[in-house]
Amino acid sequence: REGRPTSPRDAWDEDTAEATGPCPASAQKPQSNRVSTRSTTLKQVMFMPGQPAKDPKAEAYRKAGIARVEEWSMALIPENIRRDVVVAVQEVQCGDPNCAPIDTAITIVFSSGGSGMVGIPMEVKDVTLDHVKSVYPPSEILTRWAAGEDADWPPLDEELDLAESNMPRLRFVPGQRVECRVGPDPVTGWATGS
């Protein structure tokens, strides 16, 4: 730390990388050429090329929505395990054309290492308490996560049952020896297997 400026008025000689001491007011660079560490200035200076500027009103609605969903999420966690949990809410852009363009993701992480995530297919500003309740894990799952145990949410069995109900019926049983087409030739492109 020795030799470094201790206040904003100290100058830093970039060529020698040494402090030159307090800078007289007459030698200071004009404000427009200085990089400020104040967050209000950074908000004006920082940008993402090619990205439109964010609407301050829309950003305020988004932040209020995140705070609201975090509050609802904490309230749905049983009180006896609430002190050891962190709930984070964020919007996630989905590239899948079959889903909402922006999803609200709620991540629940317990100090024991147990965690889970749920998603709501809409922007956070549009999420209601009923939406959160409809995807939120029950107390039993949350308690298992709090204990550091693995617990699937939503339950995988329901997902598999749904997937199987939409699948065509198999023409053979699992493990049965079959002949499969593995190549383009109609005569030699076949192989046996199970």
Side-chain angles (χ1 to χ4, degrees):
R1 300 259 178 216
E2 191 173 312
R4 291 193 173 222
T6 57
S7 76
R9 293 187 54 99
D10 287 349
W12 183 263
D13 184 350
E14 293 173 3
D15 296 329
T16 61
E18 292 181 3
T20 59
C23 183
S26 60
Q28 291 181 4
K29 293 180 182 177
Q31 179 68 25
S32 61
N33 292 336
R34 293 178 67 190
V35 175
S36 174
T37 57
R38 291 187 348 212
S39 62
T40 55
T41 304
L42 286 177
K43 286 181 182 174
Q44 294 170 355
V45 174
M46 307 252 331
F47 68 97
M48 290 292 289
Q51 296 290 323
K54 290 186 177 180
D55 176 21
K57 195 173 186 178
E59 186 67 12
Y61 282 128
R62 188 183 72 76
K63 287 182 179 182
I66 287 173
R68 187 176 58 248
V69 172
E70 284 177 349
E71 184 178 325
W72 290 334
S73 297
M74 285 299 272
L76 292 172
I77 296 173
E79 199 170 329
N80 61 329
I81 59 174
R82 203 177 290 165
R83 66 182 170 358
D84 294 329
V85 68
V86 173
V87 174
V89 177
Q90 65 184 12
E91 287 184 328
V92 180
Q93 187 172 5
C94 183
D96 184 351
N98 295 325
C99 71
I102 296 183
D103 291 347
T104 298
I106 304 170
T107 306
I108 306 159
V109 181
F110 288 90
S111 60
S112 64
S115 65
M117 179 183 282
V118 295
I120 303 170
M122 63 183 60
E123 292 182 41
V124 71
K125 67 180 179 62
D126 299 326
V127 174
T128 66
L129 178 57
D130 288 337
H131 292 126
V132 176
K133 285 180 177 179
S134 72
V135 298
Y136 220 73
S139 296
E140 300 81 39
I141 299 292
L142 292 168
T143 302
R144 288 181 63 190
W145 288 347
E149 299 174 16
D150 285 334
D152 293 325
W153 185 257
L156 294 177
D157 292 339
E158 288 179 16
E159 291 175 1
L160 291 175
D161 290 344
L162 179 62
E164 288 177 7
S165 67
N166 294 328
M167 297 292 289
R169 204 178 138 136
L170 292 176
R171 294 174 286 154
F172 49 88
V173 296
Q176 179 181 354
R177 303 271 313 156
V178 294
E179 201 170 86
C180 301
R181 179 108 183 227
V182 294
D185 188 275
V187 176
T188 61
W190 294 85
T192 58
S194 59

